[in-house]
Amino acid sequence: TGTLYNWWYTRNGRGEYVNRELVAGEPENRSSAKHWGNPAVMLYGSFASSDGGYHPEISLSPWRVKTKDGVIIAVEEKARKLQIINTPQKIFQIDYHIGAAAAGYIPDARSQIDNARTFSQSNKLVYDEAVEVETVAKHLADQCQQYTQYGGARPIGVSLIIGGIDPAGTNLYMTDPSGSYISYDAISIGANSDAVNDFLEKNYKPDISLDEAATLAVASIYISSETKEGIDHIKMSRVSGEGVFEFIKNDEITKYAADAKSKYPSDGK
């Protein structure tokens, strides 16, 4: 649940969409407004489906935790009974040393990730060095900001958490549809993110290890999720100290889940 944010447009006499407005819920007496795209826009943790239904293209609740040894990425993905998921739908690899997680409208996320991959490889060809994490975050934030300037252009409906390791160290950034990008040590976006961020603020430590960060991430998922047991709804990846992105296997996630239940027994109930 949460607050439903919609981008609403009004038409002019030529049928063009103008006067873009971000509103919470459906504005009263706005018969000329058009709701673009699928019924959700993720913005600063508030999310709702306008029809209360299941939308596999809508992403909820990614978490990311930065450590001195790398970055942990964790998301909750609830598949329908007959749905086949061979790879995570909300976690993406941008470059060998950078990963990202999305909350919001996933088709927009895929478009942004493809943009980031092209940008990253172009940087490698031009400068003969791996792109920095902040450079990628700023590039994607700039793309978001451009879509807020023009009438008739639908703003990008997704927030991203981007993290990795570069010569500047371990870095973690959040971008949002407004075009902002902010650096964090640990952050959650999506449903119930306020409660999770309170939990992270209390339990995150600057000297946390990569395994401890993974345990903290699983505990965070249990806090926000309706599912308090098992790992079928948890997907994780990491960028390790070697600067290599990889998905975390289920047997490791099972271990982190057990550690989370032991270390944070009062949370997530």
Side-chain angles (χ1 to χ4, degrees):
T1 60
T3 302
L4 172 64
Y5 286 91
N6 288 323
W7 286 103
W8 292 88
Y9 294 73
T10 54
R11 290 177 184 262
N12 61 17
R14 296 186 297 275
E16 299 170 332
Y17 291 106
V18 297
N19 298 332
R20 182 174 57 252
E21 182 179 359
L22 182 64
V23 298
E26 295 191 7
E28 296 180 358
N29 302 321
R30 198 179 298 273
S31 59
S32 62
K34 175 177 176 61
H35 179 199
W36 274 79
N38 279 277
V41 172
M42 167 60 217
L43 186 63
Y44 285 113
S46 296
F47 168 88
S49 169
S50 63
D51 60 6
Y54 174 83
H55 298 277
E57 72 276 13
I58 300 299
S59 169
L60 297 173
S61 303
W63 296 263
R64 227 177 232 250
V65 182
K66 182 176 80 174
T67 79
K68 56 183 172 53
D69 302 318
V71 174
I72 291 290
I73 309 162
V75 301
E76 180 183 19
E77 292 189 6
K78 291 183 178 180
R80 303 184 75 167
K81 181 176 286 188
L82 299 180
Q83 184 179 352
I84 298 173
I85 298 181
N86 294 321
T87 58
Q89 303 296 302
K90 305 174 189 175
I91 299 178
F92 307 90
Q93 182 175 7
I94 293 176
D95 205 335
Y96 74 92
H97 63 302
I98 302 175
Y105 185 47
I106 293 304
D108 280 3
R110 292 198 304 267
S111 177
Q112 281 220 297
I113 294 300
D114 286 344
N115 187 312
R117 288 168 175 167
T118 301
F119 177 77
S120 178
Q121 295 307 307
S122 297
N123 187 92
K124 177 68 173 177
L125 289 172
V126 172
Y127 300 107
D128 195 28
E129 63 183 14
V131 68
E132 293 185 352
V133 179
E134 182 178 5
T135 303
V136 173
K138 181 180 182 299
H139 172 73
L140 293 180
D142 288 345
Q143 298 295 312
C144 289
Q145 196 276 333
Q146 289 182 19
Y147 278 86
T148 69
Q149 296 186 58
Y150 308 106
R154 176 179 67 81
I156 293 173
V158 69
S159 290
L160 296 176
I161 308 177
I162 304 163
I165 299 176
D166 58 29
T170 303
N171 290 284
L172 179 65
Y173 291 88
M174 183 196 75
T175 68
D176 66 37
S178 73
S180 299
Y181 74 100
I182 304 170
S183 179
Y184 287 94
D185 288 322
I187 186 65
S188 167
I189 57 177
N192 299 320
S193 60
D194 288 343
V196 175
N197 283 322
D198 287 343
F199 171 74
L200 291 173
E201 289 173 5
K202 293 175 183 176
N203 292 280
Y204 175 82
K205 298 178 177 58
D207 60 348
I208 193 172
S209 70
L210 207 57
D211 286 339
E212 290 171 336
T215 299
L216 186 64
V218 172
S220 298
I221 290 178
Y222 283 142
I223 287 174
S224 69
S225 175
E226 296 177 356
T227 305
K228 308 299 184 183
E229 302 289 340
I231 65 163
D232 289 343
H233 60 302
I234 300 175
K235 306 297 181 185
M236 300 179 69
S237 65
R238 64 185 162 225
V239 182
S240 63
E242 292 77 24
V244 177
F245 175 95
E246 62 179 343
F247 288 103
I248 299 176
K249 299 183 183 301
N250 283 344
D251 56 349
E252 288 188 80
I253 298 177
T254 300
K255 174 183 176 297
Y256 295 138
D259 291 343
K261 288 292 186 181
S262 174
K263 188 171 183 180
Y264 307 104
S266 61
D267 297 295
K269 292 186 178 180

